[in-house]
Amino acid sequence: MDYNIYVILSEKDLKQIGIFEIKASWGGESISYSPRRFMFDDTVQVLLVESKTTFEKQESINEDRVTLRIINGVRDLEWEVNEQIEQVKNNSIVKMLQRICQFDSFSIYIFEDDERIQQRIEYTTKKDILVYIQAALTWKSPQSIEIFSNRKKLKFQPF
């Protein structure tokens, strides 16, 4: 199955999470890629989603929000969830999502290609994000989910 993981959060939170922009060098200058690229833990690459048609923002959401799409490692995570469950807690994507969950305002979308979000879950610290990741990526009964913070919620509109 082909899964997507998108994250919406404040751009100012990226460095605290450990997500840093990757830039190209040209003539001694540092230049952002288009679309902008980011890296977490030297293993997880994410792209800035520039199209505002993919995600609908409620009016109360600040303009400093960015939408990021994880572009590598999702298939490895899916495999680990289904075949090597003991490895999941060490997965870099899981570590990144766990850090994101420490912030007050975020949305995480985990969904199969061409699927709509089936369940919206308000995140609390009572459950580890790992529980939701495993539920979303299991082959037996995959779920397309949105996990959001309890302060601000963003609405997802699939392609």
Side-chain angles (χ1 to χ4, degrees):
M1 295 182 203
D2 288 324
Y3 290 95
N4 297 284
I5 300 177
Y6 284 76
V7 176
I8 301 177
L9 69 162
S10 174
E11 187 166 9
K12 68 180 175 49
D13 294 337
L14 294 178
K15 287 183 182 176
Q16 290 180 294
I17 294 165
I19 300 173
F20 298 96
E21 186 171 4
I22 302 168
K23 294 188 175 189
S25 294
W26 182 263
E29 290 185 52
S30 212
I31 303 168
S32 293
Y33 287 96
S34 181
R36 290 170 58 197
R37 299 177 188 180
F38 297 86
M39 181 73 76
F40 173 81
D41 199 29
D42 292 328
T43 58
V44 180
Q45 283 192 49
V46 295
L47 283 181
L48 179 72
V49 177
E50 294 175 338
S51 169
K52 298 303 178 197
T53 60
T54 304
F55 295 94
E56 255 183 32
K57 295 182 179 183
Q58 292 180 351
E59 288 183 32
S60 63
I61 303 304
N62 294 333
E63 289 299 315
D64 75 334
R65 296 284 196 198
V66 291
T67 302
L68 303 174
R69 177 177 174 244
I70 298 174
I71 60 171
N72 71 318
V74 178
R75 286 189 178 178
D76 293 337
L77 176 57
E78 174 194 349
W79 177 261
E80 290 171 2
V81 164
N82 290 281
E83 296 293 333
Q84 297 176 328
I85 195 70
E86 68 282 350
Q87 297 297 319
V88 174
K89 64 183 176 190
N90 299 318
N91 184 285
S92 293
I93 293 173
V94 170
K95 290 178 182 178
M96 182 180 80
L97 296 178
Q98 286 172 327
R99 286 190 189 173
I100 289 169
C101 288
Q102 295 173 10
F103 288 83
D104 290 335
S105 184
F106 63 86
S107 287
I108 299 168
Y109 300 90
I110 305 172
F111 60 98
E112 291 181 83
D113 282 351
D114 302 322
E115 290 291 325
R116 293 216 176 270
I117 297 300
Q118 300 163 338
Q119 186 177 10
R120 289 177 165 80
I121 302 163
E122 187 169 0
Y123 179 78
T124 66
T125 56
K126 293 179 182 177
K127 275 193 179 177
D128 190 326
I129 187 74
L130 187 57
V131 172
Y132 301 121
I133 294 168
Q134 290 170 332
L137 298 177
T138 185
W139 291 331
K140 291 179 185 172
S141 59
Q143 300 174 24
S144 293
I145 62 173
E146 171 194 3
I147 304 156
F148 62 94
S149 69
N150 61 357
R151 298 216 171 120
K152 294 181 183 177
K153 181 179 175 186
L154 307 176
K155 289 177 76 178
F156 172 70
Q157 294 294 324
F159 307 108

